[in-house]
């Protein structure tokens, strides 16, 4: 380890903050991570209740290559540190309009599954993969680079990509060139929920999300996604990073337009650089006075578009539903109206779409013997002042349980032994998410690339951002990529060289043989 002559404070021990801590510590920066909660991970952490363990937020672990490279850069091996199971089938899709699809990374079996619903569309699956393989390969260098002005967008190599990226088309519009049956298109576009957006509004670029699942796999880390951040925190400490828990930051210390540290209830921590790994809008309103922000004032933040929120149920139950897949997504017959209720009308749907993780069919470590966990997510509007969740939560709980019968989860009420419900109000109060938006600012064209908050924060010098609120955006692999971008910019400003091996960050997808195996 190099002698630590410069220091950085990272606000928040979420996945982006921990990844940045690893990279900066490897490069000789003395790093302190300050976390308001009593455990690391932020929303990528584990909730334990009555012997049951639940991921609080992300449950899909996608494209592990980015994290594999970060682990390697820090001198660790992801496969050895975090055992994972590649799922096959990846998930089950149940269509309210009729039919279902067991999504598998096996191309031949997937074609047969699609053919059972739409024979013509099955013939186009290979074409979809080929098209998006090219799209990802050509756009990946831009996802790995900072976008700090329109000039980055106007580079000749970026302009050449416009016909391929087709930013004027929605995700659903792009998929219409491959698939005619709307159910099949929904099967390749529901992933826009990772961005908190409708496929009918989400930019066409994000067809690469479903492609990543089929090309590189959907994984379950043993112990859940929260186990990943726990391991990262252990690695950070082994590399000399100090992690302060139960230490909420009151404000960023700013002098002459520069961040010079942070103030908590117990400490003033000076720093050469401050990295904020928290919900962007909420953090700005709490940590930086409005008068010191020009581009991102409270007034401007209020005018931005924000993602949907989620109504969550974490259920510990007797027995297991062995016939229910690890991941199941139910897409309501009135899917378009569901989305309109969420994005435009800010009201609750009476027959909502939903997602259930039944993780114990893969990972028995999450529940006591003879019992299991269910993680239930219903996309709902962010807090627009239209819903009183204190009144609506009990009613919506009953709707959710009734809806789950449509995927084979029957007799549930009698089997529940412990539960926790989180509403948009809970996301706002427990996790300081602005408007309870669980996916931060929406990924619309006007809020992407250089129009998203920059990794090198525009309004305050020596202040940097990581996480879903900055470029490149939401989703674990993208958040890890934001940590790499931000770490390079910070080191550049400190006139320090990144001390991670370029060869370690130039590999291909993580080899299947290094993982635990394939769950079926």
């Amino acid at each position: 380890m190099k002698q630590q002559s410069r220091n950085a404070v990272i606000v928040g021990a979420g996945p982006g903050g921990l990844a940045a801590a690893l990279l900066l510590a490897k490069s000789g920066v003395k790093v302190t991570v300050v976390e308001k909660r009593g455990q690391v991970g932020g929303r990528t952490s584990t909730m334990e209740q009555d012997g049951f363990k639940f991921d609080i937020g992300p449950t899909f672990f996608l494209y592990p290559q980015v994290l594999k490279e970060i682990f390697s850069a820090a001198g660790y091996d992801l496969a050895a540190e975090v055992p994972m199971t590649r799922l096959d089938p990846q998930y089950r899709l149940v269509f309210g309009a009729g039919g279902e699809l067991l999504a598998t990374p096996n191309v031949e079996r997937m074609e047969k599954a699609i053919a059972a619903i739409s024979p013509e569309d099955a013939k186009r699956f290979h074409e979809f993969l080929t098209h998006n393989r090219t799209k990802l390969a050509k756009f990946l260098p831009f996802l790995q680079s900072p976008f700090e002005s329109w000039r980055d967008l106007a580079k000749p190599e970026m302009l050449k990509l416009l016909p391929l990226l087709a930013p004027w088309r929605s995700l659903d519009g792009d998929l219409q060139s491959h698939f005619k049956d709307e159910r099949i298109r929904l099967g390749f576009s529901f992933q826009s929920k990772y961005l908190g957006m409708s496929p009918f509004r989400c930019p066409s670029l994000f067809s690469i999300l479903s492609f990543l699942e089929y090309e590189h796999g959907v994984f379950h880390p043993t112990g859940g996604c929260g186990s990943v951040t726990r391991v990262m925190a252990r690695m950070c400490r082994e590399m000399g990073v100090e992690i302060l828990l139960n230490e909420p930051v009151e404000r960023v210390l700013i002098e002459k337009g520069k961040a010079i540290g942070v103030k908590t209830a117990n400490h003033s921590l000076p720093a050469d650089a401050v990295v904020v790994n928290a919900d962007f809008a909420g953090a700005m309103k709490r940590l930086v006075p409005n008068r010191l922000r020009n581009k991102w004032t409270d007034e401007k933040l209020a005018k931005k578009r924000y993602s949907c929120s989620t109504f969550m149920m974490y259920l510990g139950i007797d027995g297991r539903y062995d016939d229910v897949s690890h991941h199941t997504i139910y897409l309501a017959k009135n899917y378009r109206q569901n989305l309109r209720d969420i994005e435009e009308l800010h009201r609750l749907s009476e027959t909502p779409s939903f997602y259930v993780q039944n993780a114990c069919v893969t990972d028995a470590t999450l529940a006591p013997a003879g019992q299991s966990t269910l993680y239930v997510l219903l996309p709902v509007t962010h807090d627009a002042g239209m819903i009183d969740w204190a009144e609506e939560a009990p009613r919506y709980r009953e709707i959710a349980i009734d809806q789950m019968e449509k995927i084979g989860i029957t007799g549930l009420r009698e089997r529940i032994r412990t539960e926790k419900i989180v509403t948009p109000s809970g996301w706002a109060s427990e996790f300081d998410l602005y408007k309870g938006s669980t996916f931060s600012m929406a990924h619309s064209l006007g809020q992407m690339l250089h129009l998203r908050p920059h990794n090198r924060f525009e309004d305050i010098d020596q202040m940097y951002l990581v996480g879903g609120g900055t470029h490149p955006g939401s989703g674990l692999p993208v958040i890890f990529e934001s940590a790499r971008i931000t770490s390079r910019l910070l080191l550049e400003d400190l006139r320090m060289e990144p001390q991670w091996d370029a060869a370690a960050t130039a590999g291909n997808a993580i080899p299947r043989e290094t993982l635990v195996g394939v769950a079926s």
Side-chain angles (χ1 to χ4, degrees):
M1 187 75 67
K2 290 185 65 176
Q3 183 178 1
Q4 297 174 324
S5 59
R6 310 301 291 272
N7 69 315
V9 171
I10 298 176
V11 181
L18 293 172
L22 289 171
L23 295 171
L24 294 174
K26 177 66 175 179
S27 299
V29 178
K30 178 176 173 55
V31 180
T32 302
V33 179
V34 187
E35 168 58 49
K36 69 174 183 177
R37 302 177 73 232
Q39 63 175 334
V40 301
R43 280 169 281 162
T44 310
S45 60
T46 304
M47 180 185 76
E48 297 191 33
Q49 186 167 294
D50 299 326
F52 297 87
K53 299 176 183 178
F54 306 88
D55 278 325
I56 290 176
T59 56
F60 276 54
F61 196 86
L62 306 175
Y63 197 53
Q65 176 65 12
V66 182
L67 190 58
K68 177 191 177 188
E69 292 168 357
I70 290 173
F71 271 50
S72 181
Y76 293 83
D77 175 39
L78 176 62
E81 299 290 345
V82 186
M84 297 188 197
T85 302
R86 183 171 184 172
L87 302 178
D88 187 3
Q90 298 174 153
Y91 42 78
R92 173 187 173 214
L93 292 163
V94 179
F95 301 104
E100 62 178 72
L101 192 64
L102 276 177
T104 170
N106 182 292
V107 174
E108 183 178 348
R109 283 193 286 124
M110 188 62 184
E111 287 175 339
K112 290 180 180 178
I114 295 172
I117 296 175
S118 177
E120 285 302 308
D121 285 343
K123 300 173 184 176
R124 300 187 182 96
F125 178 55
H126 190 272
E127 168 195 291
F128 166 81
L129 294 177
T130 301
H131 176 77
N132 280 278
R133 188 176 294 115
T134 300
K135 181 187 288 190
L136 177 63
K138 291 188 174 181
F139 191 65
L140 194 58
F142 297 95
L143 286 176
Q144 297 171 333
S145 303
F147 273 73
E148 299 194 288
S149 78
W150 63 268
R151 294 179 182 85
D152 294 311
L153 191 63
K155 292 176 180 177
E157 56 269 33
M158 183 69 180
L159 294 175
K160 288 178 182 177
L161 284 180
L162 288 179
L164 179 64
L165 300 180
W168 51 86
R169 284 206 298 258
S170 70
L171 174 54
D172 182 72
D174 184 73
L175 289 172
Q176 286 183 33
S177 64
H178 300 289
F179 307 117
K180 302 308 177 186
D181 192 298
E182 184 173 60
R183 291 169 297 175
I184 302 302
R185 294 201 303 273
L186 289 178
F188 288 93
S189 63
F190 79 88
Q191 294 83 356
S192 61
K193 79 174 180 63
Y194 305 154
L195 311 173
M197 291 191 70
S198 155
F200 308 107
R201 293 190 176 192
C202 186
S204 63
L205 162 67
F206 293 106
S207 62
I208 62 176
L209 291 176
S210 57
F211 166 76
L212 283 173
E213 296 174 346
Y214 291 97
E215 186 83 347
H216 297 287
V218 174
F219 296 86
H220 174 77
T222 302
C225 288
S227 65
V228 177
T229 49
R230 288 195 298 275
V231 168
M232 292 174 72
R234 191 206 79 219
M235 290 162 50
C236 281
R237 292 186 176 106
E238 290 173 358
M239 295 177 68
V241 175
E242 183 178 16
I243 301 177
L244 304 178
L245 300 177
N246 297 305
E247 193 79 27
V249 173
E250 295 178 347
R251 68 180 187 276
V252 175
L253 298 173
I254 300 168
E255 187 176 282
K256 297 179 180 179
K258 295 181 178 181
I260 60 168
V262 303
K263 176 71 172 67
T264 73
N266 302 311
H267 299 94
S268 287
L269 300 172
D272 297 302
V274 173
V275 180
V276 176
N277 174 219
D279 177 68
F280 175 70
M284 290 304 103
K285 289 173 69 69
R286 287 194 325 276
L287 304 181
V288 180
N290 195 36
R291 60 183 172 80
L292 297 181
R293 287 180 269 124
N294 179 35
K295 184 173 180 180
W296 298 101
T297 63
D298 291 353
E299 295 76 18
K300 292 177 180 177
L301 287 170
K303 293 178 181 178
K304 296 296 179 181
R305 292 184 58 195
Y306 291 87
S307 76
C308 69
S309 187
T310 55
F311 177 86
M312 304 296 308
M313 296 170 61
Y314 307 92
L315 306 176
I317 64 170
D318 282 336
R320 281 198 342 208
Y321 288 95
D322 285 324
D323 294 332
V324 176
S325 294
H326 184 114
H327 298 299
T328 302
I329 298 97
Y330 176 82
L331 300 164
K333 183 177 182 179
N334 56 344
Y335 189 73
R336 287 178 182 261
Q337 183 60 48
N338 275 186
L339 295 173
R340 187 164 178 261
D341 289 341
I342 292 169
E343 296 184 339
E344 298 176 31
L345 302 176
H346 302 293
R347 68 185 185 188
L348 297 177
S349 297
E350 297 304 306
T351 53
S353 300
F354 62 91
Y355 157 71
V356 174
Q357 183 206 37
N358 181 30
C360 288
V361 296
T362 301
D363 183 357
T365 70
L366 300 173
Q371 297 179 307
S372 60
T373 61
L374 294 176
Y375 167 114
V376 186
L377 181 157
L378 284 71
V380 295
T381 176
H382 60 240
D383 185 4
M386 308 282 281
I387 297 172
D388 180 352
W389 278 108
E391 178 181 333
E392 290 287 0
R395 185 181 74 88
Y396 223 54
R397 173 191 186 271
E398 299 307 308
I399 287 176
I401 293 175
D402 288 343
Q403 284 289 90
M404 290 163 65
E405 294 185 0
K406 296 176 180 179
I407 65 169
I409 297 179
T410 59
L412 177 60
R413 288 177 176 86
E414 297 74 26
R415 296 171 64 170
I416 296 173
R417 293 297 167 260
T418 191
E419 72 177 284
K420 181 179 174 66
I421 291 175
V422 178
T423 69
S425 298
W427 286 121
S429 60
E430 292 184 42
F431 290 88
D432 293 325
L433 303 187
Y434 187 68
K435 297 188 176 184
S437 298
T438 46
F439 305 94
S440 192
M441 290 172 57
H443 293 68
S444 53
L445 281 178
Q447 297 180 170
M448 286 175 56
L449 303 174
H450 69 291
L451 298 175
R452 207 162 181 80
H454 295 178
N455 304 83
R456 179 190 275 131
F457 187 49
E458 309 101 296
D459 283 343
I460 307 294
D461 288 342
Q462 298 176 184
M463 183 168 161
Y464 305 82
L465 305 176
V466 295
T470 188
H471 171 72
S474 296
L476 284 178
V478 182
I479 286 171
F480 292 135
E481 196 61 69
S482 80
R484 287 205 291 204
I485 293 170
T486 295
S487 297
R488 288 188 182 278
L489 292 173
L490 189 157
L491 291 168
E492 176 184 311
D493 292 345
L494 293 181
R495 298 184 180 180
M496 300 176 68
E497 289 292 328
Q499 296 300 308
W500 56 83
D501 183 6
T505 59
N508 295 313
I510 190 167
R512 296 188 194 187
E513 62 268 21
T514 63
L515 302 171
V516 169
V518 177
S520 56

